[in-house]
Amino acid sequence: MHAAFVVAAKDLRQRLRDRSAWVLGFVAPVAVALLMSFAFQGGEHFHTKVAVVDEDGGALAMAFTAFLAGPQLDSVLDVVPVTSEAEARALVDEGELGAVFLVPEGFTAAAHDGTAEPMTVLSGVDSPLAGTVARSIGESFVAQLNADRLSMATALAAGAGPVDPSETAGLRLPEQVVPKAAGTEQLTAAGYYGPAMGIFFMFFAIGFGARGYFEERENGTLDRIAVAPVDAGALLLGKALATFVYGVASLSSVALVTGLVLGQGWGPPLAVGMVIVALALTLVCLTAFVIAVAGNDRQADGIASLVIFGLVLLGGNFILLGGAPEIMRKLALLTPNGWALRAFTDLAGGAGWISVVQPVLAILLFCVVISAITVPIYRRRFR
Amino acid sequence: MNVVTIALVSLRRLARDRIALFFLVLLPVVVILVIGAVMRGQNGFRVAVVAAEGRFAGELTQSLAAAGTLVTSPFTDESAAKDALRRNEVDAVLLIPAGMDRTLTAGAPVELPLLTTAASGAGQGAWSAVASVVADHAATVQAAAFAATRTSASFDELVPLARSLDRTVPQVAVRAETVGSTGDVLPPGFSYSAPTMLVFFVFINALAGGAALIQTRRLGIHARILAGPVRPREVILGETLCYLALTLLQSGLIIGVGGLLFGVNWGDPLAAVTLTFMWGLVGAGAGMLSGALFRTPEQASAIGPAVGIGAGMLGGCTWPLEIVPPAVRAAGHVTPHAWAVDAWTTILSRGGGLDDILRPLAVLGTFAALFLGAATLRLRRSLTA
């Protein structure tokens, strides 16, 4: 067992002397996470500026402006003054305003008797979300008016006597949508891509480990170890341990830095640790797999690249999986990194530590499957 | 002639490297496919609907599903819907409570909870879109209930009448109008992923390709070439030509695949070709600089992509710079990527031509000159040492 630790310590020392190991294992993922955090600082809360061009001047138009500036929409909208429709259009075109409400002349009068000119919502090409939200807000406001008109028409059609408009003024729509907190945290880009990039860069250790093995075989290091009183099991264990420790250290450092510096905690430390350990075991299994199927260091590099990019593309490390088509979300669950990202996403969203049990088991199952494939290949090639 | 021969030899060596071919050919195409599929543009707010049994619940579910502003998905279990919300698979969860029919028939109001994550922009948008559809549905219920108080007909009898009148009674309408026809961001889908990934991968592969130049030096190929009647300048030009050919081949491949497989319209041909060539020069310069600065091939192929990924992210290849704070946008323009993406945006989103991208082209030209100049100085020193 002692020999395994010596081999592991030697491998780690050697690895850390290589600047690229530091860059890929620690510097790059932390830098990317920092970059993402700064890029999306405050940009993920929808808030837009709108303006009202009131050509009506009536009570209804004023009520609408007051509704927009009211507390219900305070977190979504800022109402800014504009002097004319032309100015409003120019501001929308420049992206200074998310949307503009054009309230037409005669809006108040026509709303009660006759056909009203429609209210127009202007939005820019680059702000479809602001346009959709503004239109829905406008529709919600006029919905009560339309419901009151429909109520009068229905009563008349059903045989009721003449209805005074004031009789419907007190009516309120009987179905109301009430926003409530779901008890989950918003998944931010920085919160998702922190672990995603950490895992991506951690996987580069597969190539390092496999290439290192073949280099040692080439330059005779393995032969020299073989003549020492070290059995093959201790040698393999030592190499696996070095890869495992590097993997744990790499991902943990990203978790620590993003948690402490950026305040983007990944979740309860024990649960996060369980996922990191399971992923580091995957790293060991995949490195062994690449060594078993490759013939030399160049092949090891190539196969490792295929494995790494295959897994990260399928597992969702480059894309926010939540917005991806369902088939892609399902395919991601064929990969250990896809399960890990699900675990980190759930933890970041406020789920308890128990939520990582299924992902950890799935990652360990992946390890078992890869090991079951690797061992016979390794035995056949290296006996 | 010497220059072309040196370039061809280096290209042949690269073409035999299957790993390089994987990164040059396969990976960019797969990434364009994956990112393009995800960024096809949002058709509406994604709302999970957890509806209890009942006539009104069924009608409302249908109205929500038919709304153009919403993409609904039915859930039978509230906790599964919350899981989907936590994983950002939906923007909000609408709960349609049990007993809605009974409550509305009795003339009492019904509250429909819409669960959203704290301070979620999409959640706020989903609320306004859902509220609009629900208000439309509630109008007929209000009308039937009001008419029931004024006549002897029952609420249930009046609901169909209200619904039929809803289609004929004049309404105060809200119409939408889009100002301008040209955007400041690339169109969604493959038209976004193809040009940005062209910029992203050409640069990364060129940086990683610096490893080949280091290997050529280490193997003593340059020394052997210089033993003949070849000047160092020709070696450097030959290697530059090799990198330029490589970046242009990869760009051509991405443009071809983007156009043929993913239906990307690359805009004005002259502007697109000029920009592609200029970006090829920037890539060639970056590759040469990588080969001149790094000491080992491993450093170039490991650190190069990490630098390329960081610069690509900062420069707007992975998200539009229009959505980031102004300071980050300004910092992004320290990289050549931001200027290239700006130029592609002008060509693809605003129908711009060569005249419209002269400024970004000039900046890219400066970057290319800087990279190539620095690489040349460094390589000349090592070749003549």
Side-chain angles (χ1 to χ4, degrees):
Chain A
M1 186 54 78
H2 176 67
F5 285 121
V6 173
V7 171
K10 189 272 301 173
D11 266 20
L12 276 173
R13 260 200 314 274
Q14 210 169 10
R15 179 83 49 87
L16 296 179
R17 269 191 218 126
D18 184 354
R19 265 183 294 178
S20 49
W22 284 98
V23 170
L24 290 180
F26 304 97
V27 181
V30 168
V32 169
L34 282 169
L35 190 62
M36 293 222 152
S37 179
F38 289 129
F40 289 98
Q41 219 164 28
E44 289 172 306
H45 303 288
F46 178 79
H47 195 95
T48 192
K49 287 181 189 171
V50 299
V52 180
V53 178
D54 182 3
E55 288 173 352
D56 175 56
L60 205 55
M62 283 195 272
F64 179 64
T65 309
F67 167 65
L68 292 180
Q72 202 178 359
L73 297 170
D74 196 34
S75 63
V76 190
L77 303 178
D78 268 340
V79 184
V80 296
V82 287
T83 52
S84 67
E85 183 183 333
E87 187 202 359
R89 281 181 179 274
L91 289 172
V92 169
D93 201 20
E94 289 162 15
E96 294 295 318
L97 288 179
V100 167
F101 297 91
L102 298 180
V103 183
E105 195 180 339
F107 183 73
T108 301
H112 292 296
D113 47 10
T115 309
E117 277 289 303
M119 177 195 286
T120 303
V121 175
L122 306 177
S123 61
V125 178
D126 294 326
S127 53
L129 180 65
T132 307
V133 171
R135 185 179 178 175
S136 297
I137 288 170
E139 284 173 345
S140 293
F141 180 78
V142 300
Q144 187 65 63
L145 293 175
N146 288 330
D148 294 351
R149 290 162 71 139
L150 182 64
S151 298
M152 288 172 67
T154 308
L156 286 172
V163 180
D164 190 273
S166 62
E167 290 180 63
T168 58
L171 295 176
R172 286 292 167 265
L173 287 168
E175 297 167 36
Q176 294 290 335
V177 181
V178 184
K180 285 193 173 159
T184 60
E185 295 296 321
Q186 189 189 3
L187 179 63
T188 61
Y192 182 83
Y193 283 113
M197 289 297 117
I199 295 168
F200 170 52
F201 284 107
M202 180 181 108
F203 274 4
F204 275 96
I206 298 169
F208 276 127
R211 196 173 56 225
Y213 176 87
F214 285 104
E215 277 170 2
E216 288 195 350
R217 203 177 68 172
E218 195 73 15
N219 63 27
T221 306
L222 291 185
D223 292 335
R224 288 198 292 280
I225 294 173
V227 296
V230 177
D231 64 51
L235 174 66
L236 283 177
L237 189 62
K239 292 206 161 291
L241 201 57
T243 305
F244 176 80
V245 170
Y246 178 82
V248 169
S250 166
L251 202 52
S252 302
S253 63
V254 183
L256 270 176
V257 171
T258 48
L260 295 176
V261 179
L262 305 176
Q264 287 283 349
W266 289 15
L270 181 66
V272 172
M274 281 164 67
V275 183
I276 290 177
V277 165
L279 270 177
L281 280 174
T282 309
L283 200 66
V284 174
C285 295
L286 286 170
T287 307
F289 170 76
V290 173
I291 290 171
V293 294
N296 56 44
D297 59 340
R298 292 297 294 157
Q299 282 184 10
D301 250 350
I303 295 167
S305 299
L306 280 172
V307 169
I308 295 164
F309 282 95
L311 286 176
V312 296
L313 280 172
L314 208 57
N317 293 60
F318 287 154
I319 45 167
L320 265 170
L321 262 183
E326 199 180 346
I327 178 78
M328 288 175 75
R329 295 205 298 263
K330 284 190 172 155
L331 285 173
L333 297 182
L334 295 175
T335 67
N337 44 313
W339 276 104
L341 279 174
R342 166 169 281 198
F344 289 133
T345 302
D346 281 347
L347 289 175
W353 72 271
I354 199 86
S355 65
V356 304
V357 171
Q358 192 192 12
V360 166
L361 289 175
I363 295 168
L364 294 178
L365 179 66
F366 181 86
C367 287
V368 171
V369 172
I370 289 293
S371 302
I373 297 169
T374 305
V375 170
I377 300 174
Y378 188 84
R379 282 195 176 144
R380 204 172 54 234
R381 292 193 60 167
F382 295 93
R383 70 182 159 199
Chain B
M1 193 58 203
N2 284 339
V3 172
V4 177
T5 309
I6 292 167
L8 284 174
V9 168
S10 293
L11 268 180
R12 259 203 302 275
R13 286 188 54 229
L14 264 171
R16 287 196 195 121
D17 186 345
R18 274 181 290 182
I19 305 168
L21 288 180
F22 164 73
F23 281 102
L24 284 171
V25 181
L26 196 61
L27 189 62
V29 174
V30 176
V31 173
I32 288 168
L33 176 68
V34 170
I35 294 182
V38 174
M39 297 193 71
R40 275 175 307 178
Q42 199 172 323
N43 296 323
F45 296 104
R46 301 161 303 161
V47 176
V49 180
V50 186
E53 295 288 319
R55 177 169 61 123
F56 285 125
E59 285 171 6
L60 188 56
T61 305
Q62 282 179 6
S63 301
L64 290 163
T69 50
L70 294 171
V71 178
T72 60
S73 37
F75 279 78
T76 48
D77 180 9
E78 186 182 329
S79 69
K82 278 185 176 176
D83 283 343
L85 180 66
R86 183 181 294 119
R87 291 171 188 153
N88 194 37
E89 291 166 10
V90 294
D91 299 317
V93 176
L94 180 68
L95 305 178
I96 302 182
M100 190 173 167
D101 288 1
R102 198 177 53 249
T103 311
L104 289 176
T105 307
V110 171
E111 280 195 353
L112 306 170
L114 185 79
L115 309 181
T116 58
T117 52
S120 147
Q124 300 283 1
W127 169 72
S128 58
V130 169
S132 169
V133 177
V134 169
D136 204 36
H137 182 262
T140 54
V141 177
Q142 178 193 303
F146 176 72
T149 62
R150 306 295 305 258
T151 63
S152 56
S154 73
F155 173 78
D156 283 339
E157 288 166 348
L158 289 165
V159 169
L161 176 66
R163 199 154 289 150
S164 67
L165 287 170
D166 191 31
R167 289 190 282 272
T168 54
V169 171
Q171 297 203 334
V172 182
V174 177
R175 70 179 191 93
E177 184 187 327
T178 304
V179 176
S181 57
T182 57
D184 289 329
V185 292
L186 286 162
F190 298 121
S191 296
Y192 177 87
S193 67
T196 51
M197 289 303 116
L198 184 157
V199 174
F200 196 58
F201 276 103
V202 165
F203 196 83
I204 288 177
N205 278 321
L207 280 179
L213 188 61
I214 300 166
Q215 216 155 30
T216 309
R217 258 196 346 253
R218 284 182 144 196
L219 291 170
I221 294 174
H222 284 160
R224 289 201 292 281
I225 292 173
L226 287 171
V230 180
R231 284 172 294 183
R233 192 175 58 193
E234 288 173 304
V235 174
I236 294 169
L237 269 175
E239 292 290 0
T240 308
L241 195 61
C242 164
Y243 277 93
L244 183 61
L246 204 68
T247 54
L248 292 180
L249 278 172
Q250 195 186 16
S251 304
L253 178 90
I254 292 174
I255 289 173
V257 168
L260 294 174
L261 288 188
F262 305 134
V264 176
N265 177 4
W266 290 93
D268 180 74
L270 182 63
V273 167
T274 313
L275 176 59
T276 305
F277 181 78
M278 197 55 92
W279 187 247
L281 270 180
V282 173
M288 291 288 288
L289 196 58
S290 155
L293 289 181
F294 291 118
R295 277 187 303 167
T296 64
E298 287 75 24
Q299 278 182 357
S301 53
I303 300 174
V307 172
I309 289 171
M313 285 179 159
L314 197 62
C317 292
T318 46
W319 56 76
L321 285 185
E322 276 63 28
I323 67 169
V324 302
V328 181
R329 198 177 311 146
H333 283 80
V334 171
T335 68
H337 300 67
W339 297 94
V341 174
D342 281 353
W344 278 119
T345 308
T346 303
I347 296 173
L348 301 185
S349 294
R350 302 187 197 113
L354 189 59
D355 290 350
D356 304 304
I357 58 164
L358 289 178
R359 186 161 169 252
L361 281 178
V363 177
L364 292 178
T366 311
F367 270 110
L370 280 174
F371 290 161
L372 284 169
T376 303
L377 282 177
R378 179 95 184 186
L379 279 176
R380 184 179 280 276
R381 212 162 37 198
S382 73
L383 287 174
T384 52

